[in-house]
Amino acid sequence: MRPPRPPAANDNAATAAAADPVLDTADGLRRLMGARPLYHQLLRRFAGDYADTAARLRQSLDAGQTDAAGRLAHTLKGAAGLIGAGQVCALAAVIDTALRGGRHHRDGNGGNSSGDGGCNSGGGNAVPAAAAPPAAGAWEALDGLERALGQLFERIEQIARLERLAAQTAMAAANPTAEAAAAATAMAAIPAAQLCAQLAQLLRDGDGAAIDLLEGTAAQLAAHLGEPAWRRLDTAAQRFDFEAALAVLAAGDGAGDDGAPLSG
């Protein structure tokens, strides 16, 4: 059973997570009063509801259906802001503002008023230059939005994998029989670098499920990181010093600051 996390622990790790422009899970959880199951449910719903949004926006703009495109961008902006997807939120806000500001074709003219529309600050760097005409601003933002949505969907899928890993580990702890063997087999099939990346994300989120993942993959991580590094990692995590645990991963062949698997 996972030990509870002390309320005041790992503030530095949570701050590091808040800097993520793709998905600021700490911000999303704050908006939902820390209701993690509800937050994960919203992430899954977002991925399902907005999977084809970039294509729909492009189709609407090509057809001159600017009202429909504007409504879709406005809805996307709100949904992305709710889950803490600052980059997507900021780019959707640019499109929303541009489509309410003037002509809406590729060669349109007029001024552009841009902003993040109340999104968190993580996506602010993605906003195109304010000097662009409304149409140009919308199209430029749409290209960036398509890339940002792809990154966001990858992050949501990573979180879903973490949920499955945590469930498998909990099942193995509760049922040390055939279920445990099945969970161990599933764990063994996951590349060690991917485990490190997923572990790093849990540590950044200050999520006690990191302890479950560590315990369920001890042999793999020890072989991957080396026994001394593994012991330092385990000791830090068991003390809920998630910042120190992250430092061990960053020093080894685990996950970098952005949570992505390292090569080599």
Side-chain angles (χ1 to χ4, degrees):
M1 180 176 179
R2 181 167 69 246
R5 178 191 175 214
N10 307 304
D11 289 339
N12 290 336
T15 300
D20 189 343
V22 176
L23 184 61
D24 182 348
T25 54
D27 178 67
L29 284 168
R30 280 194 300 271
R31 292 171 187 266
L32 296 173
M33 306 294 290
R36 190 176 299 274
L38 176 59
Y39 179 61
H40 287 180
Q41 179 182 344
L42 288 178
L43 291 180
R44 291 191 296 270
R45 183 179 299 173
F46 182 95
D49 290 349
Y50 295 99
D52 61 347
T53 296
R56 290 166 59 195
L57 281 170
R58 197 175 299 278
Q59 183 179 22
S60 295
L61 289 175
D62 274 329
Q65 298 171 343
T66 55
D67 287 344
R71 286 193 298 270
L72 181 55
H74 186 80
T75 302
L76 174 63
K77 177 183 69 174
L82 178 62
I83 64 173
Q87 196 171 50
V88 168
C89 181
L91 288 163
V94 171
I95 296 173
D96 180 29
T97 301
L99 292 178
R100 288 183 288 137
R103 295 173 59 192
H104 314 303
H105 302 288
R106 288 181 186 269
D107 59 350
N109 297 304
N112 181 33
S113 174
S114 64
D116 69 4
C119 308
N120 62 48
S121 60
N125 292 336
V127 179
W139 281 105
E140 182 181 351
L142 181 54
D143 290 339
L145 177 65
E146 193 164 24
R147 292 189 296 270
L149 279 168
Q151 293 174 332
L152 177 58
F153 294 145
E154 288 178 6
R155 186 63 55 80
I156 291 174
E157 174 56 28
Q158 182 184 67
I159 290 173
R161 289 197 300 269
L162 286 173
E163 284 189 281
R164 293 192 291 270
L165 280 170
Q168 289 169 346
T169 303
M171 178 180 66
N175 303 285
T177 54
E179 290 86 351
T185 300
M187 292 281 193
I190 301 173
Q194 181 180 330
L195 286 175
C196 288
Q198 293 171 336
L199 175 60
Q201 190 62 50
L202 285 175
L203 292 169
R204 288 188 181 90
D205 290 348
D207 192 334
I211 305 297
D212 287 342
L213 183 57
L214 274 167
E215 292 174 350
T217 60
Q220 290 161 270
L221 292 178
H224 182 65
L225 297 171
E227 189 69 25
W230 155 249
R231 290 188 180 279
R232 292 196 302 273
L233 172 63
D234 185 56
T235 298
Q238 295 294 344
R239 291 199 306 257
F240 293 98
D241 187 353
F242 288 178
E243 186 178 12
L246 277 169
V248 175
L249 284 177
D253 187 16
D257 289 341
D258 61 356
L262 297 179
S263 60

